[in-house]
């Protein structure tokens, strides 16, 4: 055993829970302490400024520079009083992470000194280098200018002495270079379209909000063991490692007692979340060893997404304090569950009505069924796009493995809702009885009886109705939720506009409003049936059935991205104002490039570990075995000696075969990588990495994992799964 590994394992086995500085007051006293929310706005802003700012936030109005100056002054005063020395525009580039550039609150005072200052101009707009972030060719290296602009709907916050101002990030020519810009556009689109439909049932509705409740799954690994695994350090996953004899097969970790060290980490993280206004509520052990989950209370989607990105950076910081490393890779360990980030998505009116919640009257339930049917239609039309939004070089390991949704988008609705849709679909117009101007009675007894959360749950469904919301289970744990939310909200907005146009056209011809709504709802149900599947998504039969239905069954990540450039996708995003064709093309370039780079890094790390760590260890052990055979032959005679020698020689040959396979496949992998790197366009390069490089990595891993079972444990150079997966 190497000194590094020995010290790592020894250190990891002696950890004690870190003492957490728990606030003396209850959580409601320090919740959002570090957030410039409406309470702080009311306290630090002039009354007229506060009123105008709240009106701009609630009604999506532009903000004048004069008003921004007043906001900036109050925000600066609050920030400095709370220990801030710097400020930054905090934005979401196309890296799945966040970005920030810190500036101090100082300007020259004209007398040789400085004064702390923060103007509306600095609050509203700054100029990061747009060519240094992934941009898909929109910005060249010599075209550096880009702009970040304040998102007034997401409150500023203080972290580590810096005032962070959530912003969008766009190019000099106006194209979005981030996730927040198109997310805000998609949320505005679904607001207008859903409100248009909701007003059929309640004319007082002005706005519809999209809500998100994410469930963040993650792994914890002891920091010392993490440092002894170069593959974890550089790629976030183990590129090799044989399964532990015990992993999750006893099902004893899920919802089990939380280890003391982990509970201390969770408490510390929860306190930090609450100070930053992140409504962390649920924590528990997940299915796999060392896997855990944190989930918050639902929030408006844009704010919820900001909070999730902030959480991911918080987790890393807090974990270090507890001698842990957080793994957000979707599949850090082979043979056990990977990590997702289930996106629970819903829509609600400014009148307090959840649009996916059944009501108490037939009319409320007609609204409920109409919105469900339109979501079905949107997901049906854009099932390939929905899959493209969540696939990545990391999430491809998880999707389709028997703990995650398959790489086919379908919808689970549950038996009762499915029965209701069947009856609506098959009920003739003559069976509909209208009562009064705004009332409707259906001769379908079940409709007034719909209850929330009366359906079973289907873990194999990537997009499931779960009572008053839809759970998009296919999103990966390391992803920016916005990628999925942009497409989902935009597709639903486009579908709702189509629905409303059809209803308005029928009403213009004299058809009663409720009758027109019901007929168009029935049409959407009939046309969207192929997307509904309540069975086992893991089965081979479903893959065959999905292909027969015409659903997208592509399994290659680089080819899935083609869905972004299909004519129906380009047209949908254009109609909703979310993306231009140029922006979609740029994003695809980024996706293909990021895919290639991630596989390239993994291949390089794997090659280095195989040749410089595994092969020398196997060679050393092989030499010890050969020396042992020689000594046995010298010391003993007869059949017994020959039998022992033959056993050792058989093992020596197996080791030699695996080493030869590793060397051969590493050489093939290097050549495949070089060939891929010479391809000029990013799509072809990504396809080459998927088709030619990645399969060789799997072959190399198999040989290494076989060697792990043969080589003496004290000689093996890397911590094994049995050490990594069980916190001491």
């Amino acid at each position: 055993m190497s000194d590094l590994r020995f010290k790592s394992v020894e250190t990891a086995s002696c950890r004690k829970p870190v003492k957490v500085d728990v606030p003396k007051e209850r959580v409601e006293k320090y919740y959002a302490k570090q957030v410039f929310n409406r309470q702080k706005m009311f306290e630090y802003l002039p009354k007229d400024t506060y009123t105008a700012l709240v009106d701009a936030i609630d009604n999506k109005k532009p903000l004048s520079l004069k008003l921004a100056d007043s906001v900036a002054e109050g925000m600066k005063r609050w920030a400095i009083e709370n220990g801030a020395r710097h400020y930054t525009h905090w934005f979401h580039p196309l890296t799945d992470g966040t970005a920030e550039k810190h500036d101090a609150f100082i300007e020259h005072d004209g007398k040789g000194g400085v004064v702390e200052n923060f103007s509306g101009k600095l609050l509203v707009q700054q100029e990061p280098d747009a060519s240094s972030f992934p941009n898909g060719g929109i910005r060249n290296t010599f075209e550096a200018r880009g702009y970040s602009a304040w998102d007034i709907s997401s409150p500023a916050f203080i972290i580590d002495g810096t005032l962070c101002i959530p912003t969008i990030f766009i190019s000099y020519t106006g194209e979005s270079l981030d996730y927040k810009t198109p997310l805000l556009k998609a949320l505005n689109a679904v607001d207008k379209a859903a409100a248009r439909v909701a007003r059929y049932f309640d004319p007082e509705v002005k706005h519809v909000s999209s809500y998100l409740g994410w469930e963040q799954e993650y792994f914890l690994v002891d920091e010392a063991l993490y440092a002894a695994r170069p593959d974890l350090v550089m790629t976030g996953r183990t590129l090799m490692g044989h399964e532990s004899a015990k992993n999750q097969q006893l099902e004893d970790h899920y919802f089990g007692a939380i280890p003391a060290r982990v509970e201390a980490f969770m408490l510390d993280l929860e306190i930090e979340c609450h100070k930053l206004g992140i409504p962390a509520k649920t924590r528990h052990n997940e299915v796999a060893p060392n896997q855990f989950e944190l989930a918050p209370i639902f929030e408006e989607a844009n704010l919820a997404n900001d909070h999730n990105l902030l959480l991911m950076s918080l987790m890393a910081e807090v974990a270090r304090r507890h001698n842990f490393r957080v793994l957000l890779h979707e599949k850090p360990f082979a043979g056990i569950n990977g990590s997702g980030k289930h996106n629970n998505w819903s829509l609600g009116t400014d009148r307090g009505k959840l649009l996916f919640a059944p009501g108490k009257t037939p009319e409320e339930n007609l609204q409920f069924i109409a919105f469900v049917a339109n979501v079905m239609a949107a997901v049906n039309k854009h099932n390939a796009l929905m899959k493209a939004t969540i696939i990545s070089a990391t999430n491809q390991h998880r999707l389709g493995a028997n703990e995650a949704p398959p790489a086919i988008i379908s919808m689970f609705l549950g038996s009762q809702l499915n029965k209701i849709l069947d009856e609506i679909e098959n009920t003739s117009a003559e069976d509909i009885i209208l009562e009064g101007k705004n009332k409707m009675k259906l001769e379908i007894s079940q409709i007034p009886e719909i209850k929330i959360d009366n359906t079973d749950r289907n873990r194999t469904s990537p997009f499931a109705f779960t009572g008053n919301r839809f759970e998009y289970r296919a999103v990966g744990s390391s992803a920016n939720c916005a990628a999925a939310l942009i497409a989902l909200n935009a597709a639903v907005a486009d579908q709702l506009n189509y629905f409303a146009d059809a209803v308005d056209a029928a009403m213009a011809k004299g058809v009663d409003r409720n009758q027109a709504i019901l007929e168009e709802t029935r049409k959407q149900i009939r046309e969207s049936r192929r997307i509904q599947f309540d069975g086992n998504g893991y089965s081979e039969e479903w893959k065959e059935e999905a292909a027969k239905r015409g659903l997208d069954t592509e399994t290659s990540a680089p080819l899935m991205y083609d869905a972004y450039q299909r004519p129906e996708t380009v047209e949908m995003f254009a109609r909703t104002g979310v993306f231009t064709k140029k922006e979609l093309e740029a994003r695809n370039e980024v996706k293909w490039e990021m895919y290639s780079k991630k596989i390239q890094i993994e291949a390089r790390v794997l090659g280095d570990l195989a040749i410089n760590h595994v092969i020398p260890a196997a060679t050393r052990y092989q030499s010890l075995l050969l020396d042992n055979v020689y000594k046995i032959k010298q010391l003993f005679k007869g059949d017994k000696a020959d039998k022992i020698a033959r056993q050792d020689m058989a093992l020596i040959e197996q080791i030699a075969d695996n080493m030869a396979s590793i060397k051969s496949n590493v050489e093939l992998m290097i050549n495949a990588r070089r060939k891929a790197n010479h391809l000029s366009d990013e799509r072809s390069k990504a396809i080459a990495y998927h088709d030619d490089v990645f399969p060789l990595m799997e072959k190399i891993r198999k040989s290494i994992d076989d060697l792990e079972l043969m080589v003496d444990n004290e000689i093996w150079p890397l911590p094994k799964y049995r050490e990594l997966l069980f916190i001491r």
Side-chain angles (χ1 to χ4, degrees):
M1 183 183 290
S2 67
D3 289 343
L4 172 63
R5 181 168 172 268
F6 179 79
K7 290 174 182 177
S8 297
V9 175
E10 184 180 48
T11 303
S13 67
C14 300
R15 300 292 194 196
K16 294 181 179 179
V18 173
K19 184 175 175 57
V20 179
D21 185 15
V22 180
K24 294 181 180 179
E25 65 267 33
R26 301 301 298 172
V27 64
E28 60 266 22
K29 297 296 184 181
Y30 63 83
Y31 186 80
K33 178 182 179 181
Q34 295 165 220
V35 183
F36 195 65
N37 56 14
R38 294 195 183 195
Q39 179 185 347
K40 311 296 194 317
M41 292 177 191
F42 184 80
E43 183 180 349
Y44 283 86
L45 300 181
K47 183 177 179 181
D48 291 347
T49 301
Y50 170 80
T51 302
L53 179 58
V54 169
D55 181 57
I57 293 171
D58 290 344
N59 296 297
K60 300 178 173 65
K61 294 180 180 179
L63 211 63
S64 68
L65 186 58
K66 181 179 179 181
L67 185 64
D69 280 330
S70 182
V71 174
E73 177 57 33
M75 189 183 291
K76 180 203 74 174
R77 188 159 53 90
W78 167 77
I80 290 174
E81 286 180 12
N82 285 274
R85 301 174 63 89
H86 296 80
Y87 64 89
T88 182
H89 274 199
W90 183 80
F91 56 96
H92 314 166
L94 300 178
T95 59
D96 283 340
T98 58
E100 51 196 68
K101 173 178 69 73
H102 298 186
D103 288 300
F105 286 111
I106 61 168
E107 300 288 347
H108 286 298
D109 65 356
K111 302 174 185 177
V114 294
V115 61
E116 290 183 314
N117 184 49
F118 185 55
S119 67
K121 182 179 178 181
L122 294 173
L123 168 64
V124 169
Q125 180 178 312
Q126 290 188 25
E127 190 179 318
D129 184 346
S131 67
S132 297
F133 292 100
N135 59 70
I138 287 179
R139 297 272 81 191
N140 292 312
T141 303
F142 61 88
E143 296 173 324
R145 183 162 288 171
Y147 298 114
S148 56
W150 179 31
D151 170 18
I152 64 172
S153 65
S154 187
F157 55 91
I158 297 172
I159 188 166
D160 295 332
T162 298
L163 173 66
C164 298
I165 303 156
T167 63
I168 65 170
F169 181 42
I170 60 174
S171 74
Y172 177 70
T173 47
E175 293 88 2
S176 62
L177 297 174
D178 66 342
Y179 284 106
K180 183 182 275 284
T181 304
L183 176 60
L184 291 174
K185 290 179 178 179
L187 296 177
N188 284 338
V190 83
D191 173 10
K192 294 175 182 177
R196 182 183 172 191
V197 174
R199 279 193 287 269
Y200 290 137
F201 304 93
D202 181 357
E204 299 300 314
V205 170
K206 294 180 181 178
H207 293 289
V208 169
S209 295
S210 175
Y211 295 100
L212 170 66
W214 39 262
E215 302 171 24
Q216 181 69 63
E217 295 175 344
Y218 61 95
F219 282 84
L220 289 176
V221 175
D222 192 276
E223 188 167 31
L225 296 173
Y226 174 90
R229 289 287 307 222
D231 48 355
L232 280 178
V233 172
M234 287 185 276
T235 74
R237 76 176 180 108
T238 53
L239 299 175
M240 60 190 71
H242 199 280
E243 286 186 39
S244 171
K246 179 185 183 297
N247 46 53
Q248 66 187 49
Q249 66 266 49
L250 295 180
E251 300 174 337
D252 55 347
H253 187 68
Y254 189 52
F255 280 20
I258 300 171
R261 285 183 62 201
V262 177
E263 191 167 11
F265 158 76
M266 287 179 167
L267 176 61
D268 200 355
L269 177 62
E270 195 173 85
I271 291 168
E272 295 295 335
C273 283
H274 290 161
K275 289 178 182 177
L276 287 163
I278 303 172
K281 183 176 178 66
T282 301
R283 64 189 193 189
H284 62 83
N285 289 3
E286 254 299 334
V287 174
N290 281 19
Q291 188 185 32
F292 308 94
E293 180 180 296
L294 181 149
I297 302 170
F298 277 58
E299 298 180 284
E300 184 277 326
N302 177 47
L303 178 59
N305 191 52
D306 281 357
H307 280 165
N308 181 249
L309 289 165
L310 179 55
L311 171 86
M312 290 195 287
S313 60
L314 263 182
M315 291 173 82
E317 180 181 332
V318 174
R320 294 291 293 273
R321 297 205 291 255
H322 293 261
N323 303 306
F324 284 128
R325 287 298 184 112
V326 171
L327 303 181
L328 293 177
H329 193 289
E330 283 74 10
K331 192 77 169 177
F333 302 102
I336 61 173
N337 279 21
S339 296
K341 179 153 50 192
H342 303 169
N343 279 207
N344 294 278
W345 169 79
S346 62
L347 297 174
T349 72
D350 55 358
R351 302 264 291 166
K353 175 65 177 176
L354 283 176
L355 295 174
F356 301 136
K360 298 180 180 179
T361 68
E363 184 165 277
E364 288 178 339
N365 284 323
L366 176 61
Q367 176 176 258
F368 161 65
I369 295 296
F371 273 93
V372 169
N374 276 284
V375 173
M376 284 179 64
V379 175
N380 176 52
K381 290 177 181 177
H382 299 284
N383 70 94
L385 173 65
M386 295 282 288
K387 186 166 65 175
T389 66
I390 51 86
I391 197 64
S392 64
T394 54
N395 204 20
Q396 71 176 358
H397 297 282
R398 167 178 167 262
L399 295 183
N402 284 348
E403 79 283 344
I408 301 169
I409 298 298
S410 63
M411 291 181 67
F412 169 82
L413 298 176
S415 57
Q416 184 172 1
L417 182 53
N418 184 44
K419 184 178 180 181
I420 293 166
L421 296 182
D422 284 342
E423 295 201 33
I424 290 177
E425 182 181 353
N426 298 316
T427 300
S428 65
E430 289 74 20
D431 292 327
I432 304 301
I433 300 173
L434 300 178
E435 295 182 348
K437 185 176 180 181
N438 291 316
K439 294 183 179 179
M440 184 186 72
K441 180 180 179 181
L442 298 179
E443 292 299 315
I444 306 170
S445 60
Q446 289 90 341
I447 285 191
E449 306 299 325
I450 301 174
K451 298 177 182 178
I452 296 174
D453 291 337
N454 62 356
T455 61
D456 199 353
R457 303 184 72 173
N458 188 329
R459 293 179 60 83
T460 73
S461 176
F463 197 86
F465 178 71
T466 55
N468 59 5
R469 62 192 182 274
F470 287 91
E471 184 179 19
Y472 196 11
R473 298 176 56 84
V475 181
S477 59
S478 67
N480 186 322
C481 297
L485 291 176
I486 290 165
L488 176 58
N489 283 284
V492 170
D494 191 54
Q495 171 59 33
L496 287 170
N497 280 326
Y498 175 87
F499 178 86
D501 288 344
V503 171
D504 288 350
M507 290 169 60
K509 294 177 181 178
V511 179
D512 180 87
R513 182 200 64 186
N514 286 339
Q515 186 70 41
I517 292 170
L518 187 66
E519 287 298 333
E520 188 59 29
T521 298
R522 179 183 288 115
K523 177 185 174 185
Q524 298 308 322
I525 293 170
R526 286 174 177 164
E527 293 179 356
S528 305
R529 279 300 195 180
R530 68 170 186 158
I531 200 68
Q532 184 188 347
F533 179 67
D534 288 1
N536 181 7
Y538 298 156
S539 68
E540 290 299 319
E541 291 80 6
W542 166 234
K543 295 177 184 177
E544 295 174 6
E545 172 64 21
K548 291 178 183 177
R549 294 187 187 188
L551 297 176
D552 189 279
T553 57
E554 181 59 62
T555 58
S556 166
L559 294 179
M560 289 182 199
Y561 295 143
D562 289 344
Y564 274 99
Q565 295 185 355
R566 291 181 179 178
E568 61 269 27
T569 301
V570 175
E571 292 164 8
M572 180 273 289
F573 279 127
R575 283 193 298 268
T576 53
V578 174
F579 283 126
T580 64
K581 190 172 187 294
K582 182 178 180 181
E583 287 173 323
L584 287 172
E585 290 172 346
R587 280 165 194 266
N588 262 29
E589 288 294 303
V590 171
K591 288 178 181 295
W592 285 317
E593 182 182 10
M594 294 297 286
Y595 182 89
S596 298
K597 286 180 176 178
K598 286 185 178 181
I599 303 299
Q600 181 188 69
I601 291 170
E602 288 188 351
R604 286 176 171 173
V605 172
L606 179 60
D608 172 57
L609 289 176
I611 300 303
N612 297 316
H613 290 67
V614 173
I615 294 294
T619 301
R620 180 183 171 192
Y621 184 57
Q622 188 181 50
S623 297
L624 289 174
L625 289 173
L626 285 168
D627 185 55
N628 188 55
V629 169
Y630 175 77
K631 289 177 180 176
I632 287 172
K633 289 283 190 179
Q634 293 297 313
L635 294 173
F636 302 101
K637 304 295 181 183
D639 293 340
K640 188 174 182 179
D642 290 340
K643 183 179 179 181
I644 296 173
R646 282 197 301 271
Q647 289 173 341
D648 279 355
M649 286 304 300
L651 182 56
I652 289 167
E653 289 177 8
Q654 290 178 42
I655 292 172
D657 289 344
N658 279 289
M659 287 198 297
S661 177
I662 290 170
K663 292 176 181 178
S664 172
N665 283 316
V666 166
E667 185 175 352
L668 290 173
M669 181 182 70
I670 291 171
N671 291 333
R673 202 172 69 229
R674 286 172 178 167
K675 185 177 179 181
N677 291 340
H678 281 97
L679 296 173
S680 57
D681 72 285
E682 295 298 341
R683 181 178 182 274
S684 297
K685 186 183 295 184
I687 291 171
Y689 266 98
H690 178 275
D691 293 352
D692 302 330
V693 177
F694 185 73
L696 290 167
M697 293 172 60
E698 292 294 285
K699 290 181 179 180
I700 295 167
R701 175 175 191 145
K702 172 136 188 353
S703 297
I704 293 175
D705 290 355
D706 288 345
L707 279 178
E708 185 181 313
L709 294 179
M710 302 175 196
V711 174
D712 189 324
N713 185 63
E714 292 199 4
I715 294 176
W716 194 252
L718 302 169
K720 297 181 178 181
Y721 274 22
R722 66 169 181 263
E723 296 155 346
L724 292 167
L725 285 173
F726 298 95
I727 290 173
R728 297 166 176 82

